[in-house]
Amino acid sequence: MNVLVLNCGSSSLKFQVIESDLDLIERDADRTLASGVIERIGSEALITVRAPGAPVLKRAEPLRDHRAALEYAIGLFRSGDVRIEEASSIADVHAIGHRIVHGGEKLTKSIIIDSSVVEQIEDCIELAPLHNPANLKGIAAAKAIFGDSVPHVAVFDTAFHATMPATSFLYALPYQLYVRHRVRRYGFHGTSHRYVAYRYRQLTGKSREETNIVTVHLGNGCSICAIRGGESLDTSMGMTPVEGLVMGTRSGDLDASILPFLHHKEGMQVDELDGMLNKRSGLLGISGLTNDMRDLLEEERANQDRRAGLAVDIFCQRVRKYIGAYLAIMNGADALVFTGGIGENSDEIRRRICADMGFLGISLDEKLNSATVGRLEGEVSGSGCRVRIFVIPTNEELLIARDTVRCVRDAPRRW
Ligand code: AMP
């Protein structure tokens, strides 16, 4: 079946068409037929579509909302502007998988979307005010175009972390706040951590129960996950994605009392403080230059920019602290797995994170490390190191497509 995977942001829509079914999953032979991104929805939108063997299509079109954007994307396949032999018409989309950021405490598994699921995703808007409304726009757009003639499946970023015990998910705040408002840690990037754990099992022949690893997702957003017995034991993002590691524009961990301090000192109001934590902190905040790791490394190398170097050092030190903390709560792990734009591509950041960790049994093979970039997958451990080190490119879309196939198989209704 052809699964359309949708990932909607507030003004963007990313999509992939993936051919998958139970047999293809079994043989690990599912294929991406096309992928694309539509940015700046609401004004002159930028459209980029890729399909294997075809030149990249780039266009600019005024697209007023997510529905218009999705209709435009589907129109490209219908009209033959983007040629996919196996999915040349709209009728060839057999199911739709939606990436949903927050499922709260109730939506802890991928699920066929009906009106009650939509309501529950709406109930989580207060937990993810930037993300869930955009995800809901994607569901509304796809339902308006495809109706209920194809199944729609929701796959949640938070779901993988539903196994976290209370010792990991509770904040040391008055317990009533958890009871009244569900103030707790949920974790994000779950689909990515789950995918790389699955690939790790494939690469090493381990069972799920034998999977004791620390997965390190370093992209524009960053999080790290302690996976014990195949399940998320703890992760660095919390009630929102701000907690944990230093990110492109998010601060990660900080002393919460800084916020009232800034309120008193600078008169900053709640929305400003939130904007600062999410959009003006992290690598961008420290360097004052950019949130882009590639550019920071270049500034540091070419111009010896002090603050660029400081931003990178603080970024790496935070990751190192979390690796140490997770190895402690897991009583050791068999492997570290790096993924995400930085984790997959920057041998230098991996080197700086893993430097001088011999005490913990962590060391990189310099040659393997430098050779494993550009979406290559492989082991980069030094000889004799106790904690093996892998680079595994993430593929959240593939997992969403596969969950969609499995949910459709298990559904009582047939489409
Ligand atoms: P993502 O959010 O996973 O797409 O990752 C985006 C981040 O990956 C940005 O900070 C990029 O600068 C970073 N990145 C991509 N390629 C490289 C590279 N070769 N070296 C360092 N950082 C990179």
Side-chain angles (χ1 to χ4, degrees):
M1 74 166 56
N2 293 333
V3 182
L4 173 64
V5 176
L6 289 183
N7 178 358
C8 288
S10 55
S11 64
S12 69
L13 182 155
K14 290 189 197 148
F15 63 90
Q16 284 199 13
V17 182
I18 298 180
E19 183 187 36
S20 180
D21 60 29
L22 295 176
D23 176 52
L24 292 170
I25 295 173
E26 184 72 31
R27 293 189 287 116
D28 205 13
D30 6 29
R31 295 188 297 154
T32 298
L33 304 175
S35 62
V37 54
I38 304 182
E39 293 159 291
R40 303 218 307 238
I41 295 171
S43 59
E44 187 77 355
L46 298 173
I47 301 127
T48 311
V49 181
R50 293 184 163 79
V56 178
L57 177 143
K58 278 188 188 279
R59 291 212 185 135
E61 288 283 337
L63 296 172
R64 86 183 162 275
D65 55 20
H66 285 74
R67 178 171 170 180
L70 187 54
E71 270 170 352
Y72 187 85
I74 292 159
L76 291 173
F77 302 127
R78 266 194 186 152
S79 63
D81 283 10
V82 180
R83 226 168 247 299
I84 309 175
E85 273 171 30
E86 299 84 345
S88 54
S89 82
I90 190 170
D92 287 318
V93 169
H94 305 113
I96 303 177
H98 296 264
R99 178 200 178 205
I100 310 294
V101 166
H102 218 307
E105 281 197 316
K106 293 199 184 126
L107 296 166
T108 58
K109 284 203 164 65
S110 301
I111 188 168
I112 300 265
I113 301 174
D114 58 17
S115 54
S116 106
V117 171
V118 169
E119 275 171 25
Q120 291 180 69
I121 297 171
E122 284 168 353
D123 287 345
C124 295
I125 286 178
E126 60 178 8
L127 295 170
L130 297 178
H131 296 100
N132 273 29
N135 302 157
L136 283 161
K137 280 187 194 166
I139 295 176
K143 289 234 174 190
I145 296 168
F146 291 92
D148 281 325
S149 62
V150 297
H152 296 254
V153 171
V155 180
F156 303 94
D157 262 27
T158 45
F160 182 62
H161 304 299
T163 50
M164 283 196 293
T167 42
S168 298
F169 76 65
L170 273 184
Y171 290 109
L173 288 168
Y175 192 82
Q176 285 308 313
L177 293 176
Y178 168 58
V179 177
R180 281 214 299 275
H181 305 296
R182 301 284 124 186
V183 173
R184 52 158 282 179
R185 310 182 61 257
Y186 293 91
F188 299 87
H189 285 153
T191 316
S192 176
H193 292 294
R194 190 179 136 212
Y195 176 78
V196 298
Y198 149 80
R199 279 299 301 163
Y200 164 81
R201 290 204 300 276
Q202 281 197 324
L203 292 174
T204 56
K206 300 242 184 208
S207 67
R208 188 188 302 268
E209 292 70 30
E210 290 167 333
T211 301
N212 296 308
I213 59 177
V214 176
T215 49
V216 189
H217 179 116
L218 305 177
N220 199 29
C222 300
S223 71
I224 178 165
C225 184
I227 299 180
R228 191 173 64 185
E231 294 184 339
S232 174
L233 170 70
D234 201 353
T235 191
S236 57
M237 284 178 167
M239 173 151 152
T240 77
V242 167
E243 192 180 342
L245 302 178
V246 174
M247 311 182 209
T249 60
R250 296 191 191 114
S251 63
D253 294 337
L254 82 170
D255 178 345
S257 293
I258 291 170
L259 302 179
F261 176 86
L262 289 177
H263 170 69
H264 294 306
K265 276 280 177 202
E266 302 223 343
M268 289 174 79
Q269 301 302 311
V270 175
D271 286 349
E272 278 178 274
L273 291 167
D274 198 45
M276 176 192 78
L277 293 177
N278 278 287
K279 304 235 162 81
R280 294 189 284 115
S281 299
L283 295 174
L284 172 66
I286 301 166
S287 69
L289 289 173
T290 172
N291 60 324
D292 194 300
M293 182 58 91
R294 234 172 332 197
D295 295 344
L296 283 178
L297 289 171
E298 185 54 24
E299 277 300 322
E300 190 191 24
R301 193 192 60 77
N303 303 325
Q304 290 80 49
D305 187 280
R306 188 185 68 85
R307 274 170 56 190
L310 199 53
V312 178
D313 284 339
I314 294 171
F315 178 95
C316 293
Q317 173 152 322
R318 188 77 56 85
V319 178
R320 289 159 62 81
K321 275 165 93 165
Y322 265 93
I323 290 173
Y326 284 178
L327 291 177
I329 61 165
M330 296 169 77
N331 191 18
D334 294 327
L336 280 183
V337 178
F338 284 97
T339 193
I342 300 172
E344 292 163 25
N345 291 304
S346 181
D347 50 324
E348 173 163 359
I349 294 295
R350 293 194 300 254
R351 189 179 312 114
R352 283 162 78 160
I353 289 171
C354 295
D356 299 326
M357 288 235 217
F359 175 77
L360 291 175
I362 294 172
S363 79
L364 277 172
D365 180 290
E366 285 291 335
K367 274 210 185 112
L368 287 175
N369 184 47
S370 337
T372 313
V373 290
R375 288 196 67 76
L376 284 181
E377 180 179 77
E379 182 166 359
V380 296
S381 325
S383 64
C385 80
R386 210 163 347 117
V387 180
R388 295 168 77 183
I389 309 170
F390 291 82
V391 177
I392 301 183
T394 195
N395 195 343
E396 293 162 272
E397 291 78 10
L398 180 63
L399 210 57
I400 293 173
R402 288 180 170 186
D403 270 14
T404 302
V405 167
R406 294 189 191 105
C407 281
V408 171
R409 173 200 61 187
D410 295 340
R413 178 183 158 189
R414 289 282 142 243
W415 276 268

